[in-house]
Amino acid sequence: MIKKAVLPVAGLGTRFLPASKAIPKEMLPIIDKPLLQYAVEEAVREGINEIIFVTSPEKFSIKNHFKKNKKIESTLIKSGKQEIAEKINNKIFSKVKFYYINQENQNGLGDAILHAESIVGKNPFAVMLPDDLFFSEKSCLQQLIEIFSEKKSSVIAVNQIDKENIHKYGVIKPDKISERIMKVDDIIEKPNADEAPSDLAVCGRYIFNPLIFEHLKSTKPDKSGEIQLTDAIKSMLIDEEVFGTIYDGEKFDCGSKEGFVHATIALALRDDSINESVKKIIKDIV
Ligand code: G1P
C-alpha cells in the first residue's frame, strides 16, 4: 500500500566535517555499508519500490551508489568473486526506481519533503530520516504501516527520551489509545525540557497522507528561516487525526558522533567475521 518513500539527504553534515566535505554524510559507512543504504533496505524490504532522494548536486556519489555497476560486477565475477559481486548490485534494488531531486537551498526538513510532491502525487508515502538507524524484528516502517492500514491517517514513530536530550527532537502531546499507540494532540519542534509536552520524541520514520503537502505549503519559516515538518504536522492536526506509535526496537542516532560510533561498535560485535577480534580490541583498550 505504501510504495513511495522520501529520504531527505541534502544536509551539509557539518558535525562530520571534514569527513563530509567530499563524501556525503549519508555515505559514511557503518562497518562496510553506507548509512543511507540501511534505510533504503528497510524501505525496500517493506515493499517500497520508489525511493525519492531530496539531495544536492554535490552529492552525486549517492546516485553512483544506487545505480547498477556492471563493470565492477563483471570484473568480480571473472575473478570468481560472485559473493562480493552481489554486494555491488544488491538484488533487492533491481526493481526499485530511484529519483533524485535537488533542494537548492537549505530551507529545512519541511521544505525538503515539499520538493518530493510532484513524484509522490496523491499517494500516502513514507518519510525516512537516514540518520536514524533502526534494528528490530519487525522494522520501524512496518510498525507504522500496520497502524496506517488500520487508521488510514498519518502515523509517526516516537520513542522515550530523557529530559536532558528532549530539546533535540520534535515532541508530541499524546492521547493514549493503547500501550504503544496514541493520538497526537499536539507536537512541538525542539522544546526546552520544561516546555516539552511529554518524553515522547519523534524518531525518523513517518507515514503521511498527501494532505501534508497542503500544510507544508502554508507553513511559515521558523526563527532560523527553516520550514519545519513538525509545524506542518501541527497544522494538519486540525484537518486529520495523526497517530503516534512507540517504536519497539533499537535505535541509533547516527547524526551525532557518539551515535555513529555506538552503531559501529554494536554492528561490529554482531558481525561474525570480526566480532571475536573486535571484542579483544575493546577489552585491550578498556
Ligand atoms: C528532525 C525533526 C525532529 C525529529 C528528528 C528525529 O530533526 O525535525 O522533529 O525529532 O529529526 O531524528 P533534526 O535531527 O533534523 O534536527
Side-chain angles (χ1 to χ4, degrees):
M1 182 197 0
I2 307 292
K3 293 290 171 198
K4 303 185 189 217
V6 179
L7 282 73
V9 289
L12 292 175
T14 41
R15 280 187 222 159
F16 286 88
L17 282 168
S20 55
K21 183 182 172 192
I23 303 167
K25 174 191 70 175
E26 300 80 9
M27 291 301 291
L28 296 176
I30 306 279
I31 316 288
D32 54 4
K33 199 188 284 184
L35 178 58
L36 183 54
Q37 188 170 334
Y38 290 91
V40 173
E41 286 181 4
E42 180 185 339
V44 173
R45 279 198 209 101
E46 301 310 342
I48 282 174
N49 55 17
E50 291 186 52
I51 299 279
I52 304 153
F53 293 116
V54 181
T55 182
S56 72
E58 296 83 47
K59 296 195 173 185
F60 50 85
S61 60
I62 295 180
K63 198 168 186 177
N64 286 345
H65 184 75
F66 288 100
K67 81 175 178 214
K68 207 171 165 138
N69 188 323
K70 289 198 182 131
K71 201 170 158 212
I72 309 184
E73 185 182 83
S74 63
T75 312
L76 287 167
I77 291 174
K78 265 184 223 146
S79 50
K81 293 177 177 153
Q82 181 71 36
E83 243 176 73
I84 305 178
E86 269 164 34
K87 288 189 185 176
I88 301 264
N89 296 323
N90 194 328
K91 269 198 203 104
I92 66 165
F93 296 155
S94 61
K95 293 203 169 68
V96 178
K97 191 156 172 29
F98 293 99
Y99 297 87
Y100 300 86
I101 303 173
N102 286 329
Q103 186 187 17
E104 302 75 22
N105 302 306
Q106 299 288 304
N107 289 341
L109 178 59
D111 177 65
I113 306 305
L114 195 48
H115 272 68
E117 184 185 14
S118 61
I119 298 175
V120 169
K122 299 277 174 241
N123 305 290
F125 65 105
V127 168
M128 305 174 79
L129 310 185
D131 274 355
D132 290 329
L133 184 56
F134 297 95
F135 294 102
S136 48
E137 219 165 280
K138 190 187 279 177
S139 76
C140 187
L141 197 57
Q142 181 58 25
Q143 293 176 32
L144 295 182
I145 289 172
E146 284 178 8
I147 297 168
F148 181 83
S149 310
E150 189 197 320
K151 308 277 187 197
K152 307 280 182 281
S153 280
S154 299
V155 198
I156 305 171
V158 295
N159 66 340
Q160 273 168 321
I161 294 285
D162 49 49
K163 224 176 165 190
E164 303 92 82
N165 288 305
I166 201 85
H167 66 278
K168 298 178 187 164
Y169 301 93
V171 183
I172 66 162
K173 181 177 178 200
D175 180 3
K176 193 169 163 179
I177 296 175
S178 68
E179 214 40 63
R180 306 204 81 86
I181 304 175
M182 60 221 61
K183 200 164 92 54
V184 175
D185 266 358
D186 197 5
I187 183 164
I188 304 174
E189 181 67 3
K190 305 197 171 107
N192 296 328
D194 301 341
E195 285 158 11
S198 74
D199 62 351
L200 294 175
V202 175
C203 41
R205 300 289 183 273
Y206 313 73
I207 290 184
F208 290 116
N209 275 321
L211 179 68
I212 190 72
F213 291 122
E214 299 317 312
H215 291 276
L216 282 167
K217 283 175 203 161
S218 58
T219 296
K220 300 264 175 304
D222 67 1
K223 280 180 270 161
S224 59
E226 297 196 342
I227 297 186
Q228 295 298 342
L229 178 58
T230 299
D231 292 342
I233 298 170
K234 189 185 176 85
S235 147
M236 190 165 68
L237 293 175
I238 303 163
D239 292 341
E240 179 188 293
E241 282 185 322
V242 175
F243 294 90
T245 183
I246 301 180
Y247 161 64
D248 184 13
E250 256 183 318
K251 181 197 155 200
F252 298 98
D253 176 6
C254 296
S256 73
K257 286 185 200 172
E258 304 90 300
F260 200 93
V261 173
H262 187 183
T264 304
I265 298 170
L267 291 205
L269 292 172
R270 286 170 208 175
D271 182 330
D272 288 343
S273 67
I274 55 170
N275 60 3
E276 285 311 319
S277 34
V278 172
K279 261 186 228 161
K280 190 173 172 308
I281 293 166
I282 295 173
K283 215 169 143 202
D284 288 351
I285 295 173
V286 176

